[in-house]
CSV table of all heavy atoms in Angstrom, one decimal:
chain,number,residue,atom,x,y,z
A,481,ILE,N,-201.0,66.9,167.1
A,481,ILE,CA,-200.0,67.7,166.5
A,481,ILE,C,-198.7,67.0,166.1
A,481,ILE,O,-198.2,67.2,165.0
A,481,ILE,CB,-199.6,68.9,167.5
A,481,ILE,CG1,-200.8,69.7,167.7
A,481,ILE,CG2,-198.4,69.6,166.9
A,481,ILE,CD1,-200.6,70.8,168.6
A,482,ALA,N,-198.2,66.1,166.8
A,482,ALA,CA,-197.1,65.2,166.7
A,482,ALA,C,-197.4,64.4,165.4
A,482,ALA,O,-196.5,64.2,164.5
A,482,ALA,CB,-196.8,64.3,167.8
A,483,MET,N,-198.6,63.7,165.2
A,483,MET,CA,-198.9,63.0,164.1
A,483,MET,C,-198.9,63.8,162.8
A,483,MET,O,-198.5,63.3,161.7
A,483,MET,CB,-200.3,62.2,164.4
A,483,MET,CG,-200.2,61.1,165.4
A,483,MET,SD,-199.2,59.8,164.8
A,483,MET,CE,-200.0,59.3,163.4
A,484,LYS,N,-199.5,65.0,163.0
A,484,LYS,CA,-199.4,65.9,161.6
A,484,LYS,C,-198.2,66.2,161.3
A,484,LYS,O,-197.8,66.2,160.0
A,484,LYS,CB,-200.3,67.0,162.0
A,484,LYS,CG,-201.8,66.8,162.1
A,484,LYS,CD,-202.6,68.1,162.3
A,484,LYS,CE,-204.0,68.0,162.6
A,484,LYS,NZ,-204.8,69.2,162.8
A,485,LEU,N,-197.2,66.6,162.3
A,485,LEU,CA,-195.9,66.8,161.9
A,485,LEU,C,-195.1,65.6,161.3
A,485,LEU,O,-194.4,65.7,160.3
A,485,LEU,CB,-195.1,67.4,163.2
A,485,LEU,CG,-195.5,68.7,163.7
A,485,LEU,CD1,-194.8,69.0,165.1
A,485,LEU,CD2,-195.3,69.8,162.6
A,486,LEU,N,-195.4,64.5,161.8
A,486,LEU,CA,-194.7,63.3,161.4
A,486,LEU,C,-195.2,62.9,159.9
A,486,LEU,O,-194.4,62.7,159.0
A,486,LEU,CB,-195.1,62.1,162.2
A,486,LEU,CG,-194.6,60.7,161.9
A,486,LEU,CD1,-193.0,60.8,162.0
A,486,LEU,CD2,-195.0,59.6,162.8
A,487,LEU,N,-196.5,63.1,159.7
A,487,LEU,CA,-197.1,62.8,158.3
A,487,LEU,C,-196.5,63.9,157.4
A,487,LEU,O,-196.3,63.7,156.2
A,487,LEU,CB,-198.7,62.9,158.3
A,487,LEU,CG,-199.2,61.7,159.1
A,487,LEU,CD1,-200.7,62.0,159.2
A,487,LEU,CD2,-198.9,60.3,158.3
A,488,ARG,N,-196.5,65.2,157.9
A,488,ARG,CA,-196.0,66.3,157.1
A,488,ARG,C,-194.6,65.9,156.5
A,488,ARG,O,-194.1,66.2,155.4
A,488,ARG,CB,-196.1,67.5,157.6
A,488,ARG,CG,-195.7,68.7,156.8
A,488,ARG,CD,-195.7,70.1,157.6
A,488,ARG,NE,-197.0,70.3,158.0
A,488,ARG,CZ,-197.4,71.2,159.0
A,488,ARG,NH1,-196.5,72.1,159.4
A,488,ARG,NH2,-198.7,71.3,159.3
A,489,GLY,N,-193.7,65.6,157.5
A,489,GLY,CA,-192.3,65.2,157.3
A,489,GLY,C,-192.2,63.8,156.3
A,489,GLY,O,-191.4,63.9,155.4
A,490,ALA,N,-193.1,62.9,156.6
A,490,ALA,CA,-193.1,61.8,155.6
A,490,ALA,C,-193.6,62.3,154.1
A,490,ALA,O,-192.9,61.7,153.2
A,490,ALA,CB,-194.0,60.7,156.1
A,491,SER,N,-194.5,63.1,154.1
A,491,SER,CA,-194.9,63.6,152.7
A,491,SER,C,-193.8,64.4,152.2
A,491,SER,O,-193.7,64.2,150.9
A,491,SER,CB,-196.2,64.5,152.9
A,491,SER,OG,-196.5,65.1,151.7
A,492,ALA,N,-193.1,65.2,152.8
A,492,ALA,CA,-192.1,66.0,152.2
A,492,ALA,C,-190.9,65.0,151.8
A,492,ALA,O,-190.2,65.3,150.8
A,492,ALA,CB,-191.6,67.0,153.2
A,493,ASP,N,-190.6,64.1,152.6
A,493,ASP,CA,-189.6,63.1,152.4
A,493,ASP,C,-190.0,62.3,151.2
A,493,ASP,O,-188.9,62.0,150.3
A,493,ASP,CB,-189.4,62.3,153.4
A,493,ASP,CG,-188.2,61.1,153.1
A,493,ASP,OD1,-187.0,61.7,153.0
A,493,ASP,OD2,-188.3,60.0,153.1
A,494,SER,N,-191.2,62.1,150.8
A,494,SER,CA,-191.6,61.2,149.6
A,494,SER,C,-191.9,62.1,148.3
A,494,SER,O,-192.1,61.6,147.3
A,494,SER,CB,-192.9,60.5,149.9
A,494,SER,OG,-194.0,61.4,150.2
A,495,ARG,N,-191.8,63.4,148.5
A,495,ARG,CA,-192.0,64.3,147.3
A,495,ARG,C,-191.0,64.0,146.3
A,495,ARG,O,-189.8,63.9,146.8
A,495,ARG,CB,-192.0,65.7,147.8
A,495,ARG,CG,-192.4,66.7,146.8
A,495,ARG,CD,-192.3,68.1,147.3
A,495,ARG,NE,-191.0,68.5,147.7
A,495,ARG,CZ,-190.0,69.0,146.8
A,495,ARG,NH1,-190.4,69.0,145.5
A,495,ARG,NH2,-188.9,69.2,147.3
A,496,VAL,N,-191.3,64.0,145.1
A,496,VAL,CA,-190.4,63.9,144.1
A,496,VAL,C,-189.7,65.3,143.7
A,496,VAL,O,-190.3,66.2,143.3
A,496,VAL,CB,-191.1,63.4,142.7
A,496,VAL,CG1,-190.0,63.3,141.6
A,496,VAL,CG2,-191.6,62.1,143.0
Side-chain angles (χ1 to χ4, degrees):
I481 293 173
M483 287 297 295
K484 287 181 179 179
L485 291 175
L486 182 63
L487 290 173
R488 185 181 302 171
S491 176
D493 184 62
S494 64
R495 186 182 65 84
V496 177

